[in-house]
Structures are given as C-alpha cells and as structure tokens.
Amino acid sequence: MSELKPEEETAADDSGEEKDWEAAKAFFDSLKTKVPRPPKPRNAVTIAVSSRTLFNMVAERKLYQDEGVEKYVAFQVEHENEPLKPGPAFPFVKALMNVNTRLRQLYPDSEELFDIVLMTNNHAQVGVRLINSINHYGLTIERFCMTGGKSPIGYLKAYMTNLYLSKDSEKVTEAIDEGIAAATMFMSEKESDLSDSQLRVAFDGDAVLFSDESEIIVKQHGLDSFFEHEQKFENKPLAQGPLKCFLEALGKLQRKFYAKNERIDCPIRTFLVTARSAASSGARVLKTLRSWGLEIDEALFLAGAPKGPLLQKIRPHIFFDDQMFHIEGAKELGTISAHVPYGIGQKYHKGKLIQQPEKKE
Amino acid sequence: MVSTVQNSDVKQKNEDQAVVVAVTFAAVFDAEAEDDRDVYRLGVALPLLQVLQRVNERLLEENPVEHQLFDIILITTETRQQQQSSSIITSTRHHGLEVGRFCFSSEDDFIESLAQNNVQLFLTTDGNEALRATQQGVPSALLDKNSASCPSDQLRVVLCQDATIQPDADSSGASKKSAQSFLTRLGQIRQKFGMFNSPLCFTIVTSCGGKDSCCSALKSLRSLGVSVDEAYCLGGAPRGPILSILRPHFLLSDGFSQLEG
C-alpha cells in the first residue's frame, strides 16, 4: 500500500475523470493483447446482464435454495475451473459482440458500441468461476459488478445502463420503476437456430415500446371502445414505454451502418410484433414511431392471433412482451423471451393499484 | 518525548491478538471547534470509530472471550496537540469513545510510537503523514469528509487496484509484509461471520486492469485468508460514481501488486 490518493471532490470530478480515462487508455494500449478497450459509458449502449441470464445456473440455484448460501458458494468455488453452460441471454450477447466487430471495422475510433456489463448479486468468490466461464467462451465482457447480496440498482445508474436483463422479477421491476429499461428473461424449451451474423430484436408494442394507455382502455372498456379510441386519436402520439429508449439506441447504431451503405447487410434488425390489427389500430402505432424519429424494420400486426408461430419464423435473439401468456406462448415454440413487468397487464392479476413509473429522460 | 496513557474508562485489549488501529487527533476531533468546556467536537472519524466498536460487539456476541478485537489508539502528530493531552483525554471520555490508549507524540516521533505500539493500521486526514507511515512499513489510509457520512453498522474496507500506478520502488519488504499481515488479520475477523449480515465487508475495485487482474486479485487475497465479498471491475471507467455508492470507511490503494509472491 504505497500510493495513496485522497478522494476526488465533485468540483474536480471532471478533470479527475479525464485523468482516469487517459490513464486507462494508456494502460490498455500498453497491453499486448487483441482485447479491445471498453468504451466510456456515456458513449456506449450499455447492456447489463445478470449471471443467471448469461449462464445456465439452474442446478446451482437449486442448491442455493435447498442448502443455503455457504454451501452454494463452496460448490461454485470447488467447480470454478469448470465453465458454466450458456444461459438465455448468451445468444443475445454473442450477437451484440458481432455487431461490435462490424462497427469497429467501419468506425475504428468510435466509442458508440455495445458495452456488456455483468451485473450480479453473487458473492465475489463465485466471481472466479464466472470470469473463467466468460474467458472460456471468449466473451468481451470487461466490466462487472458483484454486489455480494446488495441491490444492483445504484450500479445500473452509475453505468448509465440502457438495458438490464435478469431472472429476478423483483430487481427488474425496481429497475423499471427507476426508469431503466429492464426485462425478466426466460429460457426457451426448445433449441432454436439463431442467426450469428445479425442481431434480431422483437418488441411488443403496448406497454413495452409504448405506454399502456391503450391497453387500459381494452381492459376496462373492451375492444370496440379501443378501436374507436385509436382511430379518433390516430394522430396523437402514444406516450413512451419502458423499452422505447432501447429501440432508440438500436436505431442510432443502425444508422451508422446505413451511413456506410450497409443497409442491406445491416447486422441489426428490429421487429414489432403486436396483437393490434393493422386496419383498426395500426396507424397510430406507426405514426407514433415516426413522430419519435424511430424506425422499425418489420411491423407485424397479428389482430389477436397467437405470437408464438410468427416468432418461430422470425427467430429473434430476444423478444420483449409485457404479458406473461405471450411469453409462455413464445417459449413453447422456441423463442427466447423477456417479460417487461410494466403497466396494466401486471395489475390485471393483482388486486391493488400500481402507480405509473416515471418516464426516463 | 512520547508518552502513552491508558484510558481507564475502557477495558484494555489483549496485546498480542488485538488488531491495533491508530487514529490521529485531527481525524477524531474537529480541532478548530472547541466549545467553552474545553471539550472538542467530534471529527470525520466518528462513523469509523462507531463501526469498529460495532465489529467488536459482534465478535464478542459470537465468542464472549474473543481476543482478536480492534484496539483503537488516539495518536497526536504535532507538538501543539501533544501539549493538549488533558483536554484530549477529557474530550474522549466525555464522548464515550472506545479509545484504549492515547499516544502523545509530535511530528518528529509519531512514527516511532506507531512502531512501539505495534500499530497495524494508521488512519489520518493528512496525506504526508500517511505517506511517511507507509514508507516506514505501517499500512495507512486517508480519511476525509466523505468518511463522515459512512454507515456505522458495517465496516466497509475497499481495496483499490489501480494498475497504472507503478509499484513504489522504495517500498520495502517490511511494508509488503505488514500489509499482508494486516489483511490476513482482517480476513480472520471476517471468517467469524457468515456471508450475510456481517459487520465487516471486503470489496475490491479494479480500475484499469481487466477482469483477469481482478480474478488474480481475488485468488491472491484468498490465499491470504481474505474472502472478498464484493468485486467491481471498472474496465477504465472512473471510480467516483462507484465509490460514492460503496461508501468505504477507508480505501487501501494499490495493495495488490505488492501482495504477489
């Protein structure tokens, strides 16, 4: 313990930060490694994944629940040189890495990339096995937080997280309440053949990209009222939902490919998969997206048909929806899905009234 | 001329097994604010003193005859303070601080008194004092006004690995050994509690190095008997935001490059 640094005060924070970044850049440049330097959080699209979404820890989780934390940690330490198997977010993370590779080829100095952070509640001793597993698969995850049981919400904010994926619905709800896009991941029951050259992300519309204002009308007044309402307010944009900003971040990266004439071969493709029908309630959705300056590559209006079979054809790396029965349907047919616990879709199963979460700036 | 005075209000700790922590006068008390009755007001070290006391209480709950407790001594590092010995003793008693002994030394001989009292950790608000102590082989850490707002229910020790700082060419084998010995003792104390609800928490923060340096730090600390609770690998991101969430009682910097081998 030879060098000691007094804490940087907020007044000197910026110049302190700049020095930290310069020092980090120098360090990484001096490493004789092909590992690229992680980008600054404010420039990057930061995706935080939990350990159970990145890796399959079902057996270990059961051990934790049956025999307690000490046995669980001891088991992990004993097996720390055995890599874990991939979890539900694994294909998504590989697809993000592929996009980064393509972005670096086109824009070698840019920091507008995906930055993948491991955000876990696990005790740091389990960290050794997690790091070994990350290395085993060659994943470019250079940042992580192992909070030893404490809530990750503060750290999500500190890293300016654009999307948080976890298996714990309580943490996900907490994140959404704090204005961070988040979803609870579910493994699909079947193997699926996913693209390794294009990141494919599918979104539900209401209560995911958009607020749940229209869904409230369906639930409380029925479908006919809903159609009337949507046609009447066709030109009034819907309010934004918890995942709108993530779609926006994807769009920003897509435009970087378009700028270099790579539209046909763009390694990011987005899908809207909604139960709305095109004729009676579709226009408002498309006009809302346009008013936000956002593009979505394919918009699929199902008019109430089940989403499972269509998603099977699309084969997204991840599908976001607010209603559990759509998630179940998707899972059964092999789609990796993520539940967004937002809006009236959740209230429908509970007795009490929940307050609307605040919109993220 | 150093003089050591026991605080008769406090039960003395076992000399061989206690972990001796020396805190300077300027950290314990707000030296500028002396009220009429010659009693100093408390300074930035208060939460730290409270939390060390809390750890001791929990240790005694686990084992009523525990000897590996924190033994806090208050040390003066300037002649002017050395001359205020009776006010210092009175103030300490007035506030009921769990200070076992007082060491009245000056700027010339406080290092000596650290050695004489077998101090394993020296806490000060003065960077120069900390540097001098470290160079003489006593692990040191800086306290500042952030320390004043730390929690008092859990001792949070943060080990900061900053790979860009070159290992100090002057650092002696003794300095490395004493750092290892201090961490080992803390590790032993930590082992007496379970994973959750522990009054002591070890965290490592890797600023610049990647996950592999964090991984090897976890392992080398493990070999010293220190089971780290939380780990943050920043990959070059600034430490400020993370540290303000962690709220460490003290930071031990750049300990790792010295720990190997």
Side-chain angles (χ1 to χ4, degrees):
Chain A
M1 282 160 266
S2 60
E3 295 299 318
L4 297 154
K5 290 205 293 215
E7 277 320 290
E8 243 106 67
E9 303 293 11
T10 38
D13 239 359
D14 278 352
S15 66
E17 251 188 63
E18 270 317 298
K19 276 190 359 219
D20 281 346
W21 282 107
E22 286 309 307
K25 186 168 185 294
F27 173 77
F28 270 94
D29 289 344
S30 74
L31 293 177
K32 306 228 176 332
T33 167
K34 293 204 201 69
V35 173
R37 180 165 46 88
K40 272 189 211 177
R42 76 170 78 94
N43 299 334
V45 178
T46 303
I47 316 270
V49 294
S50 76
S51 56
R52 288 192 290 147
T53 56
L54 186 59
F55 296 118
N56 182 336
M57 311 229 299
V58 172
E60 286 83 357
R61 177 74 181 173
K62 188 160 190 312
L63 180 65
Y64 170 78
Q65 284 168 332
D66 293 344
E67 299 195 44
V69 66
E70 320 267 341
K71 286 260 164 47
Y72 162 77
V73 173
F75 179 88
Q76 296 280 36
V77 170
E78 211 183 294
H79 294 263
E80 69 190 14
N81 291 317
E82 287 167 34
L84 293 156
K85 296 246 182 355
F90 191 91
F92 180 59
V93 166
K94 294 283 298 193
L96 295 174
M97 284 168 52
N98 178 53
V99 175
N100 275 357
T101 307
R102 292 279 304 272
L103 280 169
R104 285 200 170 94
Q105 282 165 1
L106 295 176
Y107 301 89
D109 295 319
S110 172
E111 295 217 311
E112 289 174 337
L113 298 163
F114 286 115
D115 181 24
I116 308 156
V117 175
L118 175 67
M119 184 71 67
T120 175
N121 241 22
N122 261 302
H123 196 268
Q125 293 309 308
V126 179
V128 177
R129 189 177 190 194
L130 292 172
I131 297 172
N132 286 343
S133 303
I134 289 173
N135 284 337
H136 174 80
Y137 295 104
L139 302 179
T140 49
I141 300 179
E142 286 302 328
R143 297 201 164 111
F144 49 80
C145 293
M146 295 168 188
T147 71
K150 300 194 169 72
S151 164
I153 300 301
Y155 303 102
L156 290 175
K157 288 182 168 172
Y159 279 118
M160 290 180 255
T161 304
N162 295 89
L163 177 67
Y164 171 51
L165 298 173
S166 169
K167 280 223 152 196
D168 183 334
S169 56
E170 272 179 36
K171 295 201 183 65
V172 167
T173 306
E174 217 188 312
I176 292 188
D177 287 345
E178 294 286 328
I180 301 170
T184 319
M185 287 208 78
F186 292 89
M187 194 78 215
S188 73
E189 279 147 36
K190 292 162 58 164
E191 280 290 313
S192 184
D193 208 2
L194 298 172
S195 168
D196 55 7
S197 58
Q198 186 181 62
L199 168 68
R200 298 162 75 84
V201 183
F203 298 87
D204 174 33
D206 297 285
V208 173
L209 288 179
F210 314 112
S211 75
D212 66 341
E213 58 195 80
S214 301
E215 256 188 50
I216 292 177
I217 296 176
V218 177
K219 294 277 193 290
Q220 291 178 352
H221 303 289
L223 218 46
D224 288 335
S225 297
F226 168 72
F227 290 144
E228 257 179 56
H229 184 268
E230 291 304 289
Q231 282 170 354
K232 187 164 162 207
F233 292 100
E234 196 180 286
N235 293 309
K236 178 169 186 278
L238 290 156
Q240 57 181 339
L243 259 68
K244 177 249 184 184
C245 292
F246 179 58
L247 176 65
E248 196 166 16
L250 290 178
K252 204 172 84 165
L253 292 179
Q254 277 179 312
R255 280 196 289 281
K256 297 188 73 157
F257 288 97
Y258 303 163
K260 297 264 182 175
N261 259 327
E262 300 256 349
R263 193 182 262 266
I264 307 280
D265 204 20
C266 182
I268 302 175
R269 193 158 184 84
T270 54
F271 301 82
L272 173 68
V273 179
T274 172
R276 284 182 180 238
S277 72
S280 47
S281 50
R284 191 177 184 197
V285 152
L286 295 174
K287 290 187 179 185
T288 302
L289 286 171
R290 194 188 297 162
S291 78
W292 290 343
L294 294 186
E295 285 184 19
I296 201 146
D297 293 301
E298 291 184 38
L300 299 130
F301 297 94
L302 291 166
K307 297 187 182 181
L310 189 69
L311 286 166
Q312 212 180 14
K313 296 278 185 297
I314 294 175
R315 288 181 289 130
H317 291 92
I318 191 168
F319 162 59
F320 296 100
D321 200 303
D322 67 307
Q323 313 223 34
M324 274 311 292
F325 75 86
H326 287 308
I327 299 283
E328 302 286 346
K331 249 176 72 178
E332 267 166 45
L333 294 180
T335 298
I336 300 176
S337 32
H339 180 235
V340 182
Y342 170 77
I344 196 163
Q346 325 312 312
K347 197 163 76 176
Y348 192 70
H349 301 290
K350 296 183 181 145
K352 59 178 175 75
L353 205 62
I354 311 171
Q355 297 209 314
Q356 292 292 3
E358 263 158 27
K359 305 275 186 284
K360 184 177 176 186
E361 230 68 281
Chain B
M1 222 339 259
V2 178
S3 68
T4 306
V5 175
Q6 285 189 1
N7 182 355
S8 52
D9 281 358
V10 168
K11 184 175 169 200
Q12 293 302 305
K13 312 282 189 304
N14 177 305
E15 267 183 46
D16 299 322
Q17 298 193 38
V19 179
V20 184
V21 177
V23 192
T24 61
F25 164 79
V28 177
F29 293 115
D30 187 358
E32 298 309 316
E34 197 182 322
D35 72 23
D36 295 334
R37 285 171 302 147
D38 232 10
V39 167
Y40 295 109
R41 282 202 226 118
L42 292 167
V44 299
L46 177 62
L48 178 73
L49 295 174
Q50 288 172 330
V51 85
L52 289 174
Q53 206 164 315
R54 180 99 190 91
V55 176
N56 281 353
E57 281 164 20
R58 290 283 306 272
L59 282 168
L60 289 168
E61 273 171 36
E62 297 290 320
N63 175 7
V65 293
E66 180 64 69
H67 287 304
Q68 193 178 44
L69 301 170
F70 285 111
D71 185 11
I72 306 169
I73 62 178
L74 190 158
I75 184 167
T76 61
T77 52
E78 284 174 34
T79 314
R80 192 173 54 102
Q81 296 163 359
Q82 194 179 32
Q83 290 161 351
Q84 301 297 323
S85 56
S86 61
S87 302
I88 293 175
I89 297 179
T90 312
S91 305
T92 304
R93 289 210 176 114
H94 171 85
H95 289 291
L97 299 178
E98 180 109 351
V99 168
R101 280 168 287 157
F102 303 94
C103 242
F104 297 110
S105 41
S106 70
E107 54 271 16
D108 296 326
D109 51 23
F110 80 88
I111 299 285
E112 217 185 282
S113 64
L114 290 178
Q116 278 176 13
N117 284 281
N118 192 25
V119 169
Q120 275 128 58
L121 178 67
F122 173 58
L123 297 168
T124 172
T125 50
D126 183 315
N128 280 324
E129 286 174 7
L131 201 52
R132 281 173 63 192
T134 312
Q135 283 168 348
Q136 294 302 314
V138 179
S140 318
L142 273 181
L143 300 179
D144 60 17
K145 61 186 215 308
N146 288 325
S147 316
S149 53
C150 285
S152 52
D153 57 347
Q154 186 186 61
L155 175 63
R156 301 184 58 76
V157 180
V158 174
L159 295 141
C160 237
Q161 178 182 15
D162 201 338
T164 57
I165 293 181
Q166 298 307 313
D168 189 3
D170 290 338
S171 77
S172 57
S175 157
K176 191 159 94 172
K177 251 188 105 208
S178 60
Q180 284 184 347
S181 149
F182 172 64
L183 284 174
T184 305
R185 296 229 192 183
L186 281 189
Q188 286 165 352
I189 293 181
R190 177 69 187 83
Q191 283 299 95
K192 297 180 176 146
F193 303 101
M195 299 242 150
F196 291 136
N197 201 24
S198 163
L200 165 59
C201 177
F202 271 112
T203 302
I204 58 175
V205 176
T206 308
S207 299
C208 297
K211 56 186 183 292
D212 295 325
S213 55
C214 191
C215 194
S216 56
L218 285 170
K219 289 189 193 165
S220 63
L221 282 166
R222 198 194 276 171
S223 69
L224 283 184
V226 177
S227 175
V228 176
D229 296 282
E230 303 178 24
Y232 301 89
C233 184
L234 304 182
R239 307 187 302 188
I242 298 291
L243 288 178
S244 66
I245 302 174
L246 288 175
R247 293 193 296 158
H249 287 93
F250 50 86
L251 272 185
L252 300 172
S253 291
D254 197 31
F256 302 94
S257 47
Q258 323 241 21
L259 290 176
E260 313 284 324

